[in-house]
Amino acid sequence: MLTTPALTFVFLGIVVSLGTAFVWVLWEFEQTSKHALSKAHRPRDRVR
């Protein structure tokens, strides 16, 4: 059995890990959407 302080550290580790994963996913989504927007608004060459 885990003691109360050990369980607290396990819970804290889980919360920090999930928080880090959530921030990373948001960061990646933002970078992807910025890249897609810059690609969509790129001026195109109309002369062929």
Side-chain angles (χ1 to χ4, degrees), residues 5-43:
L7 269 173
T8 303
F9 281 121
V10 168
F11 179 70
L12 193 62
I14 291 170
V15 169
V16 168
S17 299
L18 287 174
T20 304
F22 184 69
V23 168
W24 180 70
V25 165
L26 286 178
W27 175 268
E28 288 293 325
F29 179 72
E30 181 184 347
Q31 296 303 317
T32 304
S33 63
K34 277 184 184 177
H35 183 66
L37 284 176
S38 67
K39 194 184 257 187
H41 289 101
R42 182 184 306 157

